[in-house]
Amino acid sequence: MKKIQWQIASVKAIVQETPRVKTFTLQLPDWIPHLPGQHYDLRLTAEDGYQAERSYSIASPPEQTDEIDLTIELIDDGEVSSYLHDGITVGDPLEVRGPIGGYFVWKDTMATEPLVLIAGGSGVVPLMAMLRHRAQIGATNPTVLLFSVRMDNGVIYQQELERLAEQNTNFRLLLTFTRQPPNGWTGYQRRIDKEMLQEVMAPLNGQPNCFVCGPTLLVEQVASALVDVGLPFERIRTERFGPTGT
Amino acid sequence: MPSFFNKGFGRRREPAASDRIPPGQYETRDFPVLTAGPTPRIPLTTWSFALDGLVETPMQWTWEQFNDLPHQSFTKDIHCVTKWTRLDTKWEGVSIDTLLEHVQLKPEARYVMAYAYGDYTTNIPLDDLRHGKAFIGLRFEGLPLAPEHGGPARLVVPHLYFWKSAKWIKGLRFMESDKPGFWERGGYSMYGDPWKEQRYRSDD
Ligand SMILES: Cc1cc2nc3c(=O)[nH]c(=O)nc-3n(C[C@H](O)[C@H](O)[C@H](O)COP(=O)(O)OP(=O)(O)OC[C@H]3O[C@@H](n4cnc5c(N)ncnc54)[C@H](O)[C@@H]3O)c2cc1C
């Protein structure tokens, strides 16, 4: 098998998505088509040779050739994320390798089956690649994104998500705010629970493919609640970012 | 000076014992969870653990029988393929050597497929499970192993990346030749040595 080589990408654009989240567009000398849900490893090297490596999901669809978007949340005191947020500007080189991962991926063979995407915070990143690809291939399968965010200004990709939901009647966007909802908000204002999942799944016919991504605790609770509401084990794929808190 | 470096980047935290942290890893004090799907629920009344495949007579234990086996304490460093390393984790459990006293392996047995509740599997060379190198963990830091970390029982093979330490272990199947398990079929390394950074199949 060919080794997934490290390559030096060049930062082509940086977009501030929310106060704590930036998207980095990386131009790759050796771009390889990915599956939505896969990630790249990113490696920082200090002048003394010290290296730190972290994984970041690909936000862009495979239709966006020659480059990838990585959307990265600033973690206070985070070794890699804080360097990327504070130390990187357009034109800088970054070392990456990928695409990696073969399980938490939305395959074209799933394009006719209902799809339930559940995200907490930056866990929306790999799910966004799925939604973008789904739009590109013109899939019409019933799809819902249930996105848990803390506050009003924390909705990553908000405008694009709203546009997707307007343009495509088969796609529903559902937000839940766990701390501070926007003024006049009438939607969900709590952590994702069994009742919410039941409501979200009710309109779907047939058993959906379900992808859950976010902080460990959210993923743990959501995956467990999905089993409770009767979704078979094999239909639930999870990816956990970050620490446990337990 | 390396040929490529990121200007202004430097180590943020000094690891406690850098000689014990494999390349590409960082030290953490919490215990991240990584699993492909939901945490399975396993009632202890129906739990069982088996040794099968290339053995003269397969062996199976119930939860009570398994807990009657001699237990040992283990203090080990563990390394996850997603880059975290946790030093000096304290476990209690049953050594694989203890389990192997209960079966007679056929001479051609050289590899093991660990299989788990929730249909997870992972492959390991037999020699990497023997001679004090691996155990079935039942307690972690003095408490029964939490379900999200693989409780009631998980395989622990500390010298390999932690995905080899199958959570919710159900049995070990002895095989003549190596076959890929769950993540290995998905492109992960057949062996998973953290010191050689064998993360993906192409690193083998
Ligand atoms: C497969 C995979 C895909 C990922 N994709 C993304 C992605 O698309 N976008 C993204 O932003 N992150 C993603 N992550 C998380 C990412 O790899 C890093 O863990 C994160 O950027 C923190 O690294 P750091 O070096 O800044 O912090 P570190 O120096 O590693 O950690 C600093 C402190 O923050 C804690 N911490 C670590 N991660 C988090 C977190 N996520 N939230 C809160 N506290 C944390 C640590 O426990 C530590 O105490 C992904 C992780 C995996 C395994």
Side-chain angles (χ1 to χ4, degrees):
Chain A
M1 196 195 262
K2 189 171 166 269
K3 192 162 171 87
I4 315 167
Q5 298 285 356
W6 287 103
Q7 52 176 318
I8 298 183
S10 160
V11 177
K12 189 179 156 192
I14 301 174
V15 170
Q16 186 92 41
E17 303 276 0
T18 73
R20 301 185 61 84
V21 175
K22 284 183 181 176
T23 293
F24 299 83
T25 301
L26 307 184
Q27 182 96 43
L28 298 181
D30 187 16
W31 181 85
I32 301 165
H34 57 271
L35 297 169
Q38 287 188 299
H39 66 268
Y40 269 71
D41 282 353
L42 186 153
R43 176 165 80 184
L44 297 178
T45 306
E47 204 166 349
D48 66 2
Y50 169 73
Q51 294 186 319
E53 244 181 84
R54 300 287 184 272
S55 300
Y56 293 102
S57 303
I58 309 162
S60 45
E63 287 76 14
Q64 188 176 329
T65 53
D66 302 324
E67 59 186 40
I68 50 165
D69 287 347
L70 302 181
T71 298
I72 297 170
E73 181 181 354
L74 175 64
I75 303 297
D76 292 325
D77 192 36
E79 191 165 52
V80 172
S81 65
S82 63
Y83 175 79
L84 294 173
H85 270 255
D86 303 337
I88 287 291
T89 53
V90 171
D92 283 348
L94 280 176
E95 204 174 10
V96 293
R97 70 167 180 170
I100 296 158
Y103 184 73
F104 193 82
V105 292
W106 187 66
K107 301 202 172 114
D108 286 359
T109 52
M110 299 175 177
T112 54
E113 298 163 348
L115 178 64
V116 173
L117 306 174
I118 302 175
S122 58
V124 74
V125 178
L127 310 183
M128 194 62 190
M130 298 179 193
L131 288 171
R132 286 171 166 162
H133 177 59
R134 180 183 170 278
Q136 290 278 345
I137 63 172
T140 54
N141 60 322
T143 298
V144 49
L145 170 67
L146 176 59
F147 188 5
S148 174
V149 282
R150 287 189 178 157
M151 21 205 160
D152 189 13
N153 61 11
V155 189
I156 308 170
Y157 314 124
Q158 183 159 18
Q159 287 178 357
E160 187 179 345
L161 286 170
E162 284 169 357
R163 203 171 55 240
L164 282 173
E166 268 164 37
Q167 288 167 353
N168 184 334
T169 49
N170 299 301
F171 170 57
R172 272 190 305 153
L173 170 66
L174 292 170
L175 300 174
T176 179
F177 292 91
T178 54
R179 290 206 188 150
Q180 224 181 82
N183 286 332
W185 177 252
T186 54
Y188 293 126
Q189 300 189 31
R190 58 180 204 269
R191 288 180 179 214
I192 299 173
D193 55 25
K194 217 162 115 176
E195 197 195 338
M196 197 185 292
L197 290 171
Q198 247 150 1
E199 285 169 13
V200 170
M201 314 270 276
L204 299 171
N205 285 320
Q207 279 175 341
N209 294 301
C210 200
F211 292 84
V212 189
C213 186
T216 300
L217 196 62
L218 173 137
V219 172
E220 202 54 38
Q221 288 171 351
V222 168
S224 173
L226 286 168
V227 175
D228 285 338
V229 304
L231 203 65
F233 215 78
E234 326 73 73
R235 289 275 168 169
I236 309 168
R237 290 178 171 77
T238 58
E239 188 134 278
R240 297 159 169 88
F241 290 4
T244 47
T246 53
Chain B
M1 195 171 77
S3 61
F4 172 84
F5 67 94
N6 298 95
K7 242 173 96 187
F9 175 69
R11 185 194 290 275
R12 289 285 289 269
R13 280 180 291 276
E14 278 309 317
S18 48
D19 57 328
R20 285 161 60 191
I21 299 186
Q25 299 290 111
Y26 63 96
E27 188 185 352
T28 179
R29 281 183 194 157
D30 70 16
F31 195 173
V33 179
L34 273 126
T35 312
T39 297
R41 295 152 196 192
I42 308 154
L44 296 181
T45 48
T46 56
W47 184 92
S48 69
F49 183 85
L51 298 179
D52 55 31
L54 294 175
V55 287
E56 293 302 340
T57 316
M59 180 72 201
Q60 190 156 357
W61 288 271
T62 65
W63 178 250
E64 274 183 10
Q65 291 163 342
F66 197 86
N67 277 274
D68 285 341
L69 293 168
H71 284 40
Q72 290 178 38
S73 297
F74 305 86
T75 298
K76 298 284 183 187
D77 300 345
I78 57 180
H79 315 289
C80 178
V81 71
T82 63
K83 324 278 156 70
W84 56 264
T85 284
R86 190 168 156 170
L87 302 177
D88 296 322
T89 58
K90 294 190 176 52
W91 299 82
E92 200 185 299
V94 179
S95 165
I96 304 296
D97 297 320
T98 305
L99 299 178
L100 289 176
E101 289 167 13
H102 292 80
V103 288
Q104 196 181 343
L105 294 176
K106 296 195 177 165
E108 60 273 25
R110 287 188 50 223
Y111 291 90
V112 174
M113 186 66 82
Y115 58 98
Y117 290 90
D119 292 338
Y120 182 78
T121 54
T122 189
N123 53 307
I124 306 141
L126 175 58
D127 277 341
D128 285 85
L129 296 183
R130 302 208 256 208
H131 315 303
K133 286 193 215 140
F135 56 93
I136 304 294
L138 301 167
R139 296 175 72 79
F140 179 75
E141 304 289 339
L143 295 171
L145 186 60
E148 66 269 28
H149 292 306
R154 83 180 289 169
L155 178 63
V156 184
V157 195
H159 68 289
L160 300 179
Y161 277 130
F162 221 44
W163 89 82
K164 296 284 179 182
S165 295
K167 294 175 175 180
W168 314 300
I169 189 84
K170 200 156 108 179
L172 301 176
R173 183 159 300 141
F174 300 94
M175 313 182 291
E176 189 170 348
S177 50
D178 203 4
K179 282 205 227 19
F182 178 86
W183 289 120
E184 294 82 5
R185 282 195 301 275
Y188 276 78
S189 166
M190 289 293 272
Y191 186 63
D193 181 344
W195 294 96
K196 294 188 182 146
E197 288 202 75
Q198 290 173 330
R199 300 176 190 282
Y200 311 113
R201 190 72 76 87
S202 68
D203 299 328
D204 284 355

